[in-house]
Amino acid sequence: MGIVNATPDSFSDGGRYLDPQRAIDRALELVRDGAAMIDIGGESTRPGSDRVPPHVELDRVLPVVAALAERGVTVSIDTMNASTAAAAVAAGARIVNDVSGGLADPDMLEAVAETTADIALGHWRGPSAEMYARAEYRDVARDVTTELDERLRAAAAAGIAPSRVILDPGIGFGKTAAQNWGMLHGIARLVALGPRVLVGTSRKRFLQTVLGDEPSEWRRDAATAVTSVLAAQAGVWAVRVHDAAATRDALAVGEAWKAGDAWAG
Ligand code: PMM
């Protein structure tokens, strides 16, 4: 899943793709680089960021969603607003990606239930401005899996079958760097729950645990590509990345390594 943030302030690509034509061009480039789908966002969720009004978010994303859907691209809409989700699906989006797992907007699950779109439910313990205050876990992989199971049940109660649900552990959301690594280490527990799993590590701050302070974009993309391979090996369905080419190459290397047993004596 390739990322295009049509925002002025996202963590990594903020300001680059606010202009719809630039966002569309970037998305098509990601598809050429091997992305199977494109996630479009119009509201930054970086730690400490404030919410934007839904009409501002919608104005940013709708022309991009419509243009890409028209070209046959599988589009995911990254939003916590039911009204934005519904409008984006009407314009051709196939996945609603809600990092709050349907908790930020009480109308979200019902709005998606009325469509045929899939929904990605992220693990979330509150708005970005205050999320680190809630970063307490006894066993992060177990606790996140339990909380996402509750969101899966809430979706089912609203009329969204589990086959339409994708679960995301919310790397960087309400978790310290150590907790993010603990979550990735235990990702198989979430995979075992059943629904497809999506993981987003791309260029995130916790990678500095291994990269050190102020790593270049190139080094963050290389580290992300490694997480993509390890996620795939753990049974994860998709990874959300800024650099589709690096992840595509890394996944191909992982596949070749696995296929190598055909040549072993
Ligand atoms: N992370 C961000 C935004 N949207 N969606 C999903 N499903 N999973 C994520 O981990 C996730 C997301 C924040 O990162 P960005 O500012 O680089 O887009």
Side-chain angles (χ1 to χ4, degrees):
M1 174 183 279
I3 303 169
V4 177
N5 286 314
T7 58
D9 57 346
S10 280
F11 176 58
S12 170
D13 57 357
R16 284 191 214 171
Y17 309 116
L18 199 52
D19 169 53
Q21 193 54 52
R22 287 182 69 177
I24 293 162
D25 290 347
R26 175 60 185 152
L28 295 174
E29 186 178 32
L30 284 163
V31 169
R32 281 195 300 276
D33 284 349
M37 54 201 153
I38 299 294
D39 188 43
I40 317 283
E43 177 180 21
S44 173
T45 51
R46 67 181 295 176
S49 62
D50 290 324
R51 303 293 309 269
V52 301
H55 72 272
V56 173
E57 178 193 42
L58 190 60
D59 284 351
R60 290 173 181 171
V61 295
L62 208 58
V64 185
V65 170
L68 292 175
E70 204 168 285
R71 285 172 169 80
V73 175
T74 300
V75 175
S76 158
I77 174 72
D78 188 343
T79 184
M80 293 191 274
N81 295 307
S83 56
T84 301
V89 172
R94 296 298 313 144
I95 301 171
V96 173
N97 172 25
D98 180 355
V99 297
S100 83
L103 287 168
D105 185 336
D107 297 331
M108 180 60 96
L109 296 178
E110 279 74 16
V112 174
E114 285 170 14
T115 72
T116 58
D118 289 348
I119 185 165
L121 299 171
H123 177 259
W124 190 77
R125 283 185 171 178
S128 295
E130 53 196 76
M131 64 184 168
Y132 289 115
R134 303 176 196 196
E136 276 183 30
Y137 304 85
R138 287 186 58 197
D139 173 333
V140 65
R142 190 197 58 192
D143 296 352
V144 166
T145 300
T146 302
E147 289 168 40
L148 283 176
D149 193 22
E150 284 164 14
R151 302 316 302 151
L152 179 65
R153 287 164 202 265
I160 306 172
S163 61
R164 290 172 59 195
V165 174
I166 299 152
L167 298 177
D168 186 313
I171 297 302
F173 291 88
K175 295 170 195 74
T176 64
Q179 288 162 346
N180 287 316
W181 289 113
M183 181 64 236
L184 292 173
H185 179 80
I187 193 74
R189 188 188 276 264
L190 180 59
V191 170
L193 201 56
R196 291 167 287 172
V197 172
L198 169 67
V199 172
T201 62
S202 193
R203 297 183 183 167
K204 285 185 179 169
R205 186 175 301 273
F206 81 106
L207 295 170
Q208 291 181 10
T209 309
V210 286
L211 299 178
D213 287 344
E214 306 293 327
S216 63
E217 198 163 280
W218 188 91
R219 289 185 64 214
R220 287 188 287 155
D221 284 333
T224 300
V226 175
T227 66
S228 295
V229 176
L230 297 172
Q233 287 179 353
V236 165
W237 170 73
V239 286
R240 180 183 177 277
V241 298
H242 296 88
D243 181 344
T247 274
R248 207 66 221 200
D249 286 348
L251 291 174
V253 169
E255 284 303 311
W257 182 294
K258 243 189 356 204
D261 66 356
W263 304 96

